[in-house]
Amino acid sequence: MDNKMFCYQCQETAGCTGCTQVGVCGKNAEVSGMQDLLVYVTKGISAVTTQLRAEGKEVSSDVNHLITLNLFATITNANFDEDAIVERIFNTLAKKQDLLGQVANPEALPAAASWSSSNRDEFAAKAAEVGVLSTKDEDVRSLRELITYGLKGLSAYSKHANVLLKDDGEVDGFLQKALAKTLDDSLSVNDLIALTLETGEYGVKGMALLDEANTSAYGNPEITKVNIGVGLRPGILVSGHDLRDLEMLLKQTEGTGVDVYTHSEMLPAHYYPAFKKYSHFVGNYGNAWWKQKEEFESFNGPILMTTNCIVPPKDSYKDRLYTTGAAGFPGCKHIGGEIGEEKDFSAIIEHAKNCASPAEIERGEIIGGFAHNQVLALADAVVDAVKSGAIKKFVVMAGCDGRAKSRNYYTDFARALPKDAVILTAGCAKYKYNKLALGDIGGIPRVLDAGQCNDSYSLAVIALKLKEVFGLDDINDLPIVYNIAWYEQKAVIVLLALLHLGVKDIHLGPTLPAFLSPNVAKVLVENFGIAGIGSVEDDLELFFGEGAAISPAVTEDMLIGDILRQYPDAAPVLMECGMHCLGCPSSQMESLADACMVHGMDPKMVLGQLNQKIAR
């Protein structure tokens, strides 16, 4: 695990120098160092709370929330504000000092529990001692990081449940105990492997806690068509994962003349019944988080980042970017508010009133809302489709999207899937294929979107229910394959949760996580069948058998006239894409690539839609 090849903050392996300068994620060395230190002092206070529980003493919810929010603030692309992180370090050290006075046996505590400083200048030196590479044994380091990333994902689930006034002391206690154990040099590799799997067990519990919090507050998600166009009024764009922030903003924008749109991971908010009563909740704007530089600029109005997935903003819209909760970026306005408090969004609302309406970047609708309650309501239809052979396999394509060109694999893979395959998805990975015209099977859409990465629990519930319905003893006997895109730490806790549930042969891409040492990767491969991805053609044959990878019927260099003569069904597809001049003799002499260029279309997108219609 060479720090010149891998950045544990942004999870990238290319173009990053290990956070010794501004890397792929946009964090500089000072910010990354303070995040290292915040994780360290959070482990220290967790050792104290774990000891207090061992001595039979209570730990308050305020302390649990502090620890959870600390971890969440260090998750990928959440907080770039060094001053905000340093403030959290000071607050944590002060709270830890109070708790230490309650410990009967302080000799049992690790060094991190006693370390303290009131001098900010000393923080940088300490941060250099406690970073990722401070653990010399490669396998121990790899497992400690795997556990820590999983716990960061668990902290995200807990935090979102906490703001809806749902707590689980057992989950909090485990998170803190596991953090403390990553400081314990007496633990062997086997001990850490066991702790890794236990982290997956509590990942499932954390997901269930959040699912219950969301559905009790906002109702069960239901099948919903979401507008992806724009209105004429000024708007506020909300990104991130925090539904409580969105609820407060929607209430405060009623009657103001300001519309509210979702971006990226906030898209699934449209599926919840409680939000449908807001007529000014217009739709979804744009795509996955990594497109925000272009899409935030064209939106014209202010943007509220409620959680992680900030891309360092361009100067052209930086003054329109607001943060709240665990998110932060230097120079951007931060809207405060603790758990249980009503946040004041008046500043961003007034800002919006003076902005132009969003520029239109696309039109139409996308469908979602296939969380576990909704899918189980369709269980009879799904089971009948499987028994009849109309649905041969489900493909879990959950996880995270990213900017790397290698992630186009997921678009190409979705386009090339057999027509009797259905995609189960959650997370922003869906933006690679949720706007493709993949059709349906007997009224069942071929992309079933359960929601955010926070909603990955639904995919597990669906799998377990199908196992029960089909009377199977092993979840791996289901007609389900797993081809998951990973990027940030919540994808790690999803992986660990699936491993805890016994799921094997999960494929991760575009590459296996770089923080896995060769020996740890070998354990995952041998015991759980973890694998990377190959080419689309090879993986189709692997998942669906020989002959699954069928060459496309239409290619970019084919003439429009030839396409129409060979495949009459192509005409409505081309017209839906915007080519309305198919009867013109000159247009029929153009290649598909040239026609797409003239009409300003992506030829790969048009090809995908054509071949979905006629290739199989």
Side-chain angles (χ1 to χ4, degrees):
M1 189 170 64
D2 184 347
N3 69 328
K4 292 186 179 179
M5 294 298 293
F6 171 68
C7 174
Y8 87 104
Q9 290 288 355
C10 66
Q11 312 296 300
E12 289 282 4
T13 56
C16 183
T17 58
C19 287
T20 58
Q21 61 182 33
V22 175
V24 175
C25 65
K27 295 188 181 76
N28 59 31
E30 289 75 20
V31 173
S32 296
M34 290 305 100
Q35 290 202 349
D36 283 344
L37 187 58
L38 179 56
V39 171
Y40 178 74
V41 300
T42 302
K43 290 179 177 181
I45 193 173
S46 294
V48 175
T49 59
T50 300
Q51 181 63 28
L52 286 172
R53 289 189 179 94
E55 294 174 2
K57 294 166 184 169
E58 293 283 331
V59 176
S60 71
S61 60
D62 288 346
V63 173
N64 292 336
H65 294 165
L66 178 144
I67 291 170
T68 296
L69 193 55
N70 279 0
L71 272 192
F72 194 22
T74 67
I75 212 165
T76 314
N77 288 15
N79 202 310
F80 298 71
D81 190 335
E82 184 181 354
D83 289 339
I85 296 166
V86 167
E87 182 180 2
R88 297 206 67 83
I89 293 171
F90 276 124
N91 291 342
T92 303
L93 290 174
K95 178 57 69 176
K96 184 183 69 174
Q97 203 61 36
D98 290 343
L99 295 174
L100 277 170
Q102 303 174 34
V103 175
N105 185 20
E107 295 79 13
L109 296 172
S114 59
W115 183 82
S116 188
S117 173
S118 59
N119 184 345
R120 181 169 174 170
D121 292 337
E122 294 177 358
F123 285 4
K126 189 64 179 177
E129 296 176 9
V130 300
V132 173
L133 298 178
S134 61
T135 303
K136 301 306 178 186
D137 184 291
E138 184 180 41
D139 297 331
V140 170
R141 181 173 67 218
S142 177
L143 287 164
R144 284 179 174 177
E145 290 309 300
L146 182 58
I147 292 163
T148 301
Y149 297 151
L151 294 174
K152 287 186 181 187
L154 179 56
S155 77
Y157 298 136
S158 293
K159 187 268 180 183
H160 292 306
N162 294 161
V163 298
L164 293 172
L165 306 182
K166 298 290 185 182
D167 289 84
D168 186 325
E170 186 182 0
V171 170
D172 290 325
F174 170 78
L175 184 148
Q176 294 160 34
K177 178 182 73 173
L179 273 179
K181 284 187 174 183
T182 63
L183 298 168
D184 188 347
D185 292 330
S186 71
L187 297 183
S188 67
V189 167
N190 286 337
D191 292 331
L192 291 170
I193 289 173
L195 184 60
T196 300
L197 296 178
E198 191 178 7
T199 301
E201 176 186 357
Y202 279 88
V204 175
K205 292 179 179 180
M207 291 177 185
L209 173 69
L210 177 57
D211 181 76
E212 197 275 329
N214 284 340
T215 56
S216 62
Y218 306 119
N220 281 296
E222 53 194 25
I223 299 173
T224 304
K225 290 182 178 179
V226 181
N227 172 42
I228 57 175
V230 298
L232 299 177
R233 305 197 308 177
I236 297 172
L237 187 60
V238 187
S239 192
H241 307 75
D242 200 305
L243 297 179
R244 174 63 179 144
D245 284 335
L246 175 65
E247 179 187 23
M248 288 185 282
L249 180 66
L250 285 170
K251 287 180 178 178
Q252 293 177 37
T253 46
E254 277 192 298
T256 64
V258 173
D259 290 332
V260 176
Y261 298 77
T262 57
H263 184 267
S264 190
E265 285 278 19
M266 195 58 82
L267 162 65
H270 294 279
Y271 311 155
Y272 286 91
F275 296 127
K276 295 184 178 183
K277 65 185 177 184
Y278 297 102
S279 60
H280 62 297
F281 192 30
V282 174
N284 188 74
Y285 190 86
N287 298 276
W289 63 272
W290 62 275
K291 292 279 289 181
Q292 63 188 247
K293 284 196 174 184
E294 299 83 24
E295 293 169 353
F296 285 5
E297 190 164 51
S298 63
F299 183 76
N300 294 327
I303 305 104
L304 177 65
M305 297 298 302
T306 64
T307 63
N308 52 309
C309 297
I310 298 173
V311 173
K314 296 166 68 173
D315 289 342
S316 57
Y317 66 81
K318 186 175 180 180
D319 67 323
R320 293 190 277 116
L321 187 68
Y322 292 72
T323 63
T324 191
F329 197 91
C332 294
K333 304 173 190 72
H334 187 81
I335 297 172
E338 300 300 321
I339 290 174
E341 294 180 355
E342 188 75 13
K343 294 183 180 181
D344 180 2
F345 290 111
S346 58
I348 192 171
I349 295 169
E350 290 305 311
H351 191 157
K353 291 177 181 179
N354 296 309
C355 294
S357 60
E360 184 175 82
I361 56 176
E362 56 189 341
R363 293 182 183 179
E365 294 176 325
I366 46 179
I367 189 168
F370 295 94
H372 59 89
N373 189 72
Q374 181 65 79
V375 172
L376 296 183
L378 301 172
D380 289 344
V382 172
V383 170
D384 287 346
V386 173
K387 288 182 176 178
S388 70
I391 295 177
K392 291 285 177 55
K393 279 192 178 178
F394 297 93
V395 186
V396 174
M397 293 179 67
C400 313
D401 197 10
R403 62 175 69 80
K405 288 185 178 179
S406 57
R407 290 178 181 270
N408 291 336
Y409 161 93
Y410 295 100
T411 304
D412 296 337
F413 185 84
R415 282 177 178 149
L417 281 173
K419 284 191 172 182
D420 51 16
V422 171
I423 296 171
L424 299 175
T425 191
C428 62
K430 63 175 164 277
Y431 284 102
K432 286 297 183 193
Y433 41 79
N434 70 339
K435 296 175 184 177
L436 300 178
L438 298 183
D440 62 78
I441 299 174
I444 301 169
R446 291 189 58 230
V447 177
L448 300 181
D449 174 23
Q452 300 179 344
C453 55
N454 288 352
D455 299 312
S456 298
Y457 175 71
S458 278
L459 305 182
V461 172
I462 292 167
L464 291 171
K465 184 63 178 179
L466 289 174
K467 173 189 165 189
E468 176 188 326
V469 168
F470 286 110
L472 300 174
D473 295 325
D474 188 340
I475 196 171
N476 296 294
D477 291 335
L478 285 167
I480 299 178
V481 295
Y482 295 82
N483 197 7
I484 295 175
W486 89 284
Y487 187 92
E488 52 94 61
Q489 287 114 357
K490 276 183 280 187
V492 174
I493 193 60
V494 172
L495 170 64
L496 298 184
L498 290 173
L499 295 183
H500 165 71
L501 292 172
V503 176
K504 294 187 177 181
D505 300 325
I506 298 170
H507 288 248
L508 286 179
T511 61
L512 290 178
F515 58 80
L516 296 178
S517 69
N519 286 334
V520 171
K522 183 179 178 183
V523 169
L524 292 176
V525 170
E526 291 181 350
N527 293 337
F528 303 101
I530 297 293
I533 61 172
S535 68
V536 169
E537 294 77 13
D538 289 346
D539 288 347
L540 283 172
E541 290 204 3
L542 177 66
F543 292 139
F544 297 96
E546 189 173 353
I550 298 175
S551 298
V554 178
T555 57
E556 289 185 37
D557 59 350
M558 288 180 69
L559 299 181
I560 294 293
D562 291 340
I563 294 171
L564 294 174
R565 280 188 291 275
Q566 293 181 49
Y567 308 106
D569 287 347
V573 177
L574 292 171
M575 292 184 71
E576 286 175 12
C577 290
M579 293 186 189
H580 299 290
C581 52
L582 298 178
C584 174
S586 60
S587 71
Q588 294 200 13
M589 297 303 295
E590 290 180 321
S591 70
L592 178 64
D594 289 341
C596 288
M597 180 182 67
V598 169
H599 289 84
M601 298 174 184
D602 178 2
K604 291 188 181 300
M605 183 270 291
V606 176
L607 264 179
Q609 296 189 19
L610 279 172
N611 285 311
Q612 279 293 330
K613 180 73 175 177
I614 62 180
R616 296 180 184 276

